[in-house]
Amino acid sequence: MTALHDRRVPGAAAIGPDDAHLAPFAAMTDGELRDPKQLVGLARACDPAGEPDRLAAGLFVAESVNVIARALDGGCTPFALLTDERWLNGAAGLIGRIVEAHPQVPVAVVSTDEMRSITGYRETRGPLCCFHRPAEPDPNALLASAHRVAVLEDITNYTNIGAIFRSAAALGIDAVLLTPACHDPLFRRASRVAMGTVFQVPWARIGSGARWAEEGVALLRGAGFATAALALSEQSVSVADPRLKAAEKLALVLGTEGDGLAADTIAACDYTVRIPMAHGVDSLNVAAASAVAFWETRWES
């Protein structure tokens, strides 16, 4: 493998093919990028003299110019950048922005074959940038000023998570709350499908276990929210029910594909809501359903 740093990125920190800063793109899983023990090892490998706990808050990888730019706009701090030389011209402005604001961040420019060798990905859709994970906000703080929130219960499909965030940003959702088992919105695929909107719509975790609704719905009600579970039920009301749109504060609760929402969650909510269907279709994909529900119940002050 050739040297990874060259004069095509003036002012960037030098990086070699065995540099530990490349580990987040190559040898570390998403779980390891959030594991303080693994990150102590990475911190020491990058700088043995540095503070070993400096990465304990976690890292994540963003892909493509748009997603990386929105992460920067959202205040995220880069750790390292890796790009296929094919993307260098199109990403020149973005890379220059990173180098100017964060000159200590290593930048590696590699061939397509080297990119595949390092990452294991057959194709990438732009540069990859590893960032320090931002602190998650307190859900109480998010709810205080919100009118519309989405709650994602145990959604594990990254494409669906990304699509829901994109709809949330476009259709007036003020915050997204994730149950403990819901997967990470900052995962590379999720943030890419979201077009970086995971850095525009604030989000936080809600509840502390599988029965999150016991405390989570109480938290929502305490903040003044009516709660609406999207589920098929004989007691369900249409998503076009005027009471939903008229609610000053409304939380829309969405479940995972297949299983849907837990029975305990549905029972805890104020409304069970359905989207009327035609041609014998019983339901929509959760990402599509979220967009319909967000639009129909949008807050108009």
Side-chain angles (χ1 to χ4, degrees):
M1 186 179 294
T2 59
L4 301 181
H5 173 68
D6 58 40
R7 296 182 183 277
R8 288 176 289 182
V9 186
I15 188 170
D18 299 318
D19 195 296
H21 285 84
L22 294 178
F25 306 111
M28 300 182 73
T29 66
D30 180 60
E32 289 171 338
L33 291 175
R34 291 177 287 156
D35 184 345
K37 293 181 180 179
Q38 296 288 334
L39 293 168
V40 166
L42 177 62
R44 286 174 171 160
C46 291
D47 181 8
E51 171 56 51
D53 293 329
R54 67 186 182 278
L55 303 180
L59 300 170
F60 69 91
V61 175
E63 178 180 7
S64 84
V65 169
N66 286 341
V67 176
I68 294 169
R70 283 183 168 157
L72 292 170
D73 292 342
C76 297
T77 301
F79 172 79
L81 186 139
L82 172 67
T83 185
D84 187 318
E85 59 192 1
R86 292 180 301 162
W87 308 116
L88 193 56
N89 288 338
L94 175 72
I95 295 172
R97 175 183 175 185
I98 291 173
V99 170
E100 181 178 2
H102 308 277
Q104 79 286 357
V105 171
V107 176
V109 180
V110 299
S111 69
T112 298
D113 287 342
E114 289 170 333
M115 192 75 166
R116 291 171 178 168
S117 176
I118 292 168
T119 65
Y121 307 146
R122 180 163 182 80
E123 294 294 338
T124 54
R125 292 167 175 79
L128 301 177
C129 188
C130 181
F131 285 92
H132 297 268
R133 289 184 74 91
E136 289 183 18
D138 180 348
N140 290 287
L142 296 185
L143 295 174
S145 59
H147 290 282
R148 293 292 182 268
V149 301
V151 181
L152 310 189
E153 180 181 270
D154 302 355
I155 296 179
T156 57
N157 182 291
Y158 288 115
T159 299
N160 285 336
I161 292 171
I164 291 169
F165 265 88
R166 189 171 179 183
S167 293
L171 300 174
I173 296 299
D174 299 307
V176 175
L177 300 175
L178 314 173
T179 65
C182 188
H183 280 193
D184 183 18
L186 298 187
F187 184 74
R188 178 182 63 92
R189 182 170 179 80
S191 63
R192 191 185 73 223
V193 171
M195 293 293 288
T197 53
V198 294
F199 307 109
Q200 295 177 306
V201 180
W203 59 270
R205 297 281 173 178
I206 186 171
S208 56
R211 298 172 67 90
W212 72 272
E214 292 182 356
E215 56 185 291
V217 172
L219 176 69
L220 290 163
R221 284 208 181 103
F225 280 81
T227 52
L230 269 72
L232 299 177
S233 166
E234 293 181 0
Q235 290 76 41
S236 63
V237 301
S238 170
V239 71
D241 189 302
R243 291 173 295 176
L244 301 176
K245 190 171 178 60
E248 182 175 353
K249 289 176 170 282
L250 181 68
L252 296 163
V253 187
L254 301 153
T256 187
E257 287 289 313
D259 293 338
L261 292 172
D264 289 349
T265 300
I266 297 171
C269 289
D270 300 309
Y271 300 97
T272 305
V273 176
R274 72 181 184 279
I275 298 172
M277 301 284 169
H279 302 295
V281 177
D282 63 352
S283 63
L284 295 174
N285 165 275
V286 65
S290 74
V292 173
F294 296 164
W295 172 254
E296 286 286 352
T297 63
R298 66 197 183 279
W299 171 248
E300 295 177 324
S301 57

